[in-house]
Amino acid sequence: MAKSLVVALGLWALGGLLGLHHLYLGRDRHALLWILTLGGFGVGWLWDLWHLPGWVATANGPPQPLQSGAVPILSSLRVAGQLLVGAYFGLLAALGVPWVPPPLAVALGVLLVASVGDQGTNRSRVLVAAFLSSLLFQGGLLPTSLTTTAVAAWHRRFEPPRDPQPPLSARLCHLGLGVAAFGVPLAWGGVSGALGIAGTVLTLPLRVGVLPLRAGWALLEGLGVVGGAPEWGRGGAGSGANERRRRALEV
């Protein structure tokens, strides 16, 4: 079915931050990237407007044959996207998902940008570069992302076209799995942090309420009105009194 530039422009205007125009044109990995970064942090969504006519023409044209042995032209925009998205994924993993290694998150971000369009890279080497650079730079996200981006750019290549494309239901399922793999661990980390803060806030009044009781008991004990501290005060009833009796007998 032929793609319409008018429909693509409408989807870009209404849901471009979520990549609806990319999904319409069969650019699923680009759509996933836009969903996870809200349209390339807004800048990529605006930049798409200039490329829509070319993408529509590509979607309506015949499948391009695989260029055997050819290397894609190095794009500064793609390199910048790999660096930024890799550091962004690594930062989210470090802050909100403690059980996901930040080097893995950096590598996934770089690979996602590297796979946009008809290009790809060597996935295994990118993963190895992410973990080795993380060890070398002691977990620094920006140096790790920079090294991983350099390896991905060095091994860039053309990917064979997918013809025919899977049905829309299968494409939406794959897209949903990608969003869930990104969003569920992040949401779990956020919920765990919120529950910890809520528990601290709820127990704060109880702790504050006990402080005057401890202070009053200590004052009465200092005046000699009472002879020991309660269990919530200092480690068990009568322990302070027994210690004072022992010292008095020694004197």
Side-chain angles (χ1 to χ4, degrees):
M1 182 178 179
K3 305 300 181 181
S4 169
L5 179 59
V6 175
V7 175
L9 285 171
L11 292 174
W12 173 86
L14 296 176
L17 292 177
L18 298 178
L20 293 184
H21 55 297
H22 290 300
L23 184 63
Y24 171 68
L25 296 174
R27 302 170 58 87
D28 295 348
R29 286 172 290 192
H30 210 156
L32 177 61
L33 176 63
W34 258 216
I35 292 174
L36 301 184
T37 60
L38 285 181
F41 311 105
V43 179
W45 169 68
L46 295 174
W47 189 260
D48 283 352
L49 184 60
W50 306 102
H51 295 278
L52 274 179
W55 288 336
V56 171
T58 301
N60 290 329
Q64 297 294 327
L66 179 62
Q67 305 180 42
S68 178
V71 177
I73 299 175
L74 183 64
S75 169
S76 58
L77 184 62
R78 186 183 292 265
V79 170
Q82 290 173 352
L83 177 62
L84 183 60
V85 175
Y88 168 65
F89 277 30
L91 180 62
L92 290 180
L95 295 179
V97 193
W99 61 85
V100 175
L104 176 61
V106 171
L108 292 178
V110 172
L111 286 173
L112 180 58
V113 180
S115 64
V116 167
D118 59 350
Q119 296 188 24
T121 188
N122 191 305
R123 298 178 181 86
S124 59
R125 294 187 180 182
V126 168
L127 288 170
V128 171
F131 280 95
L132 290 180
S133 57
S134 179
L135 292 175
L136 180 62
F137 297 109
Q138 299 181 353
L141 292 178
L142 190 58
T144 301
S145 182
L146 181 60
T147 305
T148 309
T149 297
V151 172
W154 181 263
H155 294 284
R156 65 189 185 279
R157 64 194 181 193
F158 286 107
E159 294 287 343
R162 302 182 65 182
D163 186 43
Q165 278 196 342
L168 181 60
S169 58
R171 292 170 54 203
L172 291 177
C173 181
H174 295 160
L175 191 63
L177 290 175
V179 174
F182 178 87
V184 170
L186 193 62
W188 177 257
V191 169
S192 301
L195 290 176
I197 295 175
T200 302
V201 171
L202 291 177
T203 57
L204 186 60
L206 179 61
R207 296 177 181 179
V208 173
V210 170
L211 287 178
L213 297 178
R214 291 183 175 178
W217 192 273
L219 178 61
L220 293 177
E221 184 181 359
L223 295 175
V225 177
V226 295
E231 292 185 1
W232 45 262
R234 288 180 298 146
S239 59
N242 293 334
E243 180 65 19
R244 286 192 295 274
R245 290 193 189 96
R246 186 183 62 80
R247 293 179 180 178
L249 290 176
E250 290 179 354
V251 174

